[in-house]
Amino acid sequence: MADGATTSFIVLGGGFRGLVAAYLLAKDGHRVTLLERGNRLGGVLAGADWDGMPLDLGCHLFDNTDAASTAFFFEMAGGADRFHAVETRYANLYQGRLARGMAVPDLSGQDDARIAAHLFDLLGAAAAPDPAPRDARTALAARYGGSLAAELAPMLAKMYATLPDALAPETLDASVFQRVRCVDDGRGAVLKQIPDLDARLAVSSAAAPAQFYPAAQPDLARNFYPKAGGMKGFVDHVIARLTDLGVTLCVGTGPIAISGADIRAEDGTTWTADRIVVTTAPAEAERAILGTNTLTDATHAVPMVLFYFRVSPDMFTGLHYTHLFDPAQAAFRISAPGLYGRIRSENGHSYICAECPCRQDSAIWTDPDGAADQIWGEARAAGIVAQTARYTDVKLLKTPVSYSAPKAGFARAHAKVRAAIAHDHSRVIDLSTLGFSKLSILSDVKAALGWT
């Protein structure tokens, strides 16, 4: 859209995708109005508050893997001085083994016979992959072979709080299951010389974090994070930038409906623009534009309980986050935003966060208070805090929709919805997806808006 012509735009959705779209359009000189049905901007980045201490809704960091994207995030927030570098340290826990420097599933510590079985099946899958897996379970088998798939399926079920049979194959590409580590780094590096195995196998980059990211901004760590206020601090800076660029921000609109170039809220308020950019989730976009509801049934929403533990900063071990792949453990990821965010309360305490995807009929959802000590034990097992650490207080947040995954058949249903939107609503630019990576969101929005 960087063509010099001034156009009026309505951006529907005030999450990260909507903020990026509004910023790009306003920077191009267009008149932009951003509408958010909820009561705050930023989506999952908006965070929460605990007696004045800003809390992130899970583990959120900016990736420095592409210099242009890094520069854009700096610009969007008002400058590089809004951030500090983070030399991220992470791990994963599986079968009681804490594997540092690896965020994806790590099965390399298993016995030789088990590893040999994994490799045999992996080589077979790479040589003859299933061209059309019907769901996430068959996609795991097609990608990794039966031996690895049998171990990965319960992990995937834990992350999404449902059986892999119910999820679409593309779920793998939006999760930590894109690659797996099943041999030591020496053998892994040799096997990764084969392109089909390179796409499936992982090796640790902890010793040289930038080795796989030659396009990253030099002289900057692998990650970066807002200097103040957590991710909410970033959102506040972006809001200020949008306001300076003349963007009209409308929050708390409630559900809306689109007709031609007009948008109408339930209270009768209307907005009109030359073009409408929709950045909401696909099911919400379908309801607003077409008035139909097919994608709701094709999408799996993942409920989650977030446990925040107030801790003394000297209890941090230095790990920033750990993925817990054992199905028996309730937490899927435990992170220390208080460490990498340098966040302190007035009395000098900080915090860690445990993310527990679950079903709404599960014990952890119905009685999260009763699970606090269990989750704290998992935080110690995950290496986030010292084994002798104690927490001074706990805060709980429950969300019925933390993130969403496509069910089997979603891609076909979404394609039909998008075709109907393109056919009947030429003024609408549909950017609705289920993706949540900041880098992929930025890339998608730039491409759709013709930004170079």
Side-chain angles (χ1 to χ4, degrees):
M1 298 266 164
D3 55 8
T6 299
T7 306
S8 62
F9 284 87
I10 290 174
V11 175
L12 184 60
F16 181 71
R17 190 184 304 272
L19 296 178
V20 170
Y23 182 79
L24 288 172
L25 292 168
K27 186 177 165 64
D28 251 0
H30 299 294
R31 300 187 304 277
V32 181
T33 298
L34 188 151
L35 307 182
E36 166 55 40
R37 65 176 294 172
N39 294 320
R40 58 184 181 175
L41 298 172
V44 72
L45 301 185
D49 178 87
W50 191 4
D51 298 333
M53 183 166 59
L55 303 177
D56 285 355
L57 301 178
C59 179
H60 301 282
L61 288 152
F62 286 95
D63 291 321
N64 174 34
T65 60
D66 171 73
S69 298
T70 296
F72 177 83
F73 293 138
F74 286 168
E75 176 190 326
M76 196 177 175
D81 60 346
R82 304 286 194 187
F83 301 89
H84 61 250
V86 180
E87 294 286 358
T88 313
R89 294 178 291 276
Y90 47 85
N92 80 81
L93 183 65
Y94 182 56
Q95 296 181 334
R97 176 175 178 263
L98 187 66
R100 296 175 183 268
M102 185 62 56
V104 302
D106 188 344
L107 289 73
S108 64
Q110 296 182 332
D111 62 66
D112 290 344
R114 192 69 181 149
I115 291 176
H118 293 333
L119 283 177
F120 182 82
D121 282 1
L122 175 63
L123 290 169
D130 183 347
R134 63 183 179 274
D135 53 40
R137 186 183 296 276
T138 55
L140 284 172
R143 189 171 185 82
Y144 297 114
S147 179
L148 282 170
E151 296 208 42
L152 296 174
M155 303 180 193
L156 189 72
K158 175 181 179 177
M159 180 178 179
Y160 290 102
T162 193
L163 293 175
D165 314 63
L167 299 175
E170 55 266 29
T171 304
L172 270 61
D173 296 325
S175 70
V176 295
F177 299 96
Q178 288 179 296
R179 286 183 171 86
V180 63
R181 188 189 194 203
C182 63
V183 295
D184 61 73
D185 285 346
R187 286 187 287 180
V190 173
L191 291 170
K192 283 173 71 64
Q193 300 302 310
I194 304 171
D196 285 340
L197 294 182
D198 180 46
R200 293 166 167 83
L201 287 175
V203 298
S204 175
S205 62
Q211 65 177 312
F212 298 120
Y213 307 102
Q217 183 166 312
D219 305 319
L220 182 67
R222 170 70 175 79
N223 296 98
F224 54 99
Y225 187 85
K227 277 186 178 178
M231 279 295 175
K232 176 62 163 55
F234 166 77
V235 173
D236 289 343
H237 289 312
V238 173
I239 291 172
R241 291 279 287 158
L242 292 175
T243 301
D244 289 343
L245 288 169
V247 176
T248 300
L249 304 174
C250 301
V251 178
T253 66
I256 59 87
I258 297 175
S259 176
D262 297 333
I263 291 180
R264 178 179 294 274
E266 287 185 335
D267 66 1
T269 304
T270 59
W271 297 268
T272 300
D274 298 319
R275 303 295 302 274
I276 299 171
V277 180
V278 180
T279 69
T280 62
E284 185 178 343
E286 180 195 5
R287 285 192 296 271
I289 303 170
L290 301 179
T292 55
N293 206 34
T294 60
L295 294 181
T296 297
D297 290 337
T299 305
H300 171 66
V302 182
M304 183 177 287
V305 181
L306 295 163
F307 290 77
Y308 296 94
F309 295 98
R310 197 192 306 268
V311 299
S312 172
D314 60 9
M315 291 294 100
F316 291 133
T317 64
L319 273 180
H320 295 115
Y321 66 87
T322 298
H323 288 145
L324 289 75
F325 290 114
D326 283 305
Q329 294 172 313
F332 180 78
R333 180 168 57 191
I334 302 179
S335 57
L339 172 61
Y340 56 76
R342 304 173 188 175
I343 294 170
R344 303 291 182 269
S345 64
E346 290 185 359
N347 61 5
H349 283 90
S350 192
Y351 80 97
I352 67 170
C353 175
E355 301 166 64
C356 302
C358 59
R359 292 164 52 100
Q360 291 192 31
D361 59 359
S362 66
I364 199 165
W365 180 269
T366 57
D367 182 26
D369 293 284
D373 286 342
Q374 172 194 341
I375 304 303
W376 178 252
E378 294 180 8
R380 290 187 295 189
I384 298 297
V385 292
Q387 291 299 307
T388 58
R390 298 288 185 271
Y391 64 91
T392 60
D393 200 3
V394 60
K395 179 181 178 68
L396 305 174
L397 291 178
K398 296 166 66 175
T399 172
V401 184
S402 58
Y403 47 85
S404 297
K407 291 182 181 179
F410 173 85
R412 185 166 53 255
H414 194 200
K416 289 182 179 179
V417 167
R418 282 194 149 168
I421 291 172
H423 184 269
D424 297 334
H425 298 269
S426 60
R427 295 177 183 266
V428 170
I429 301 173
D430 181 15
L431 300 184
S432 61
T433 75
L434 294 176
F436 44 78
S437 159
K438 299 178 191 66
L439 288 172
S440 64
I441 287 173
L442 175 59
S443 176
D444 290 348
V445 174
K446 280 186 171 182
L449 297 183
W451 187 272
T452 58

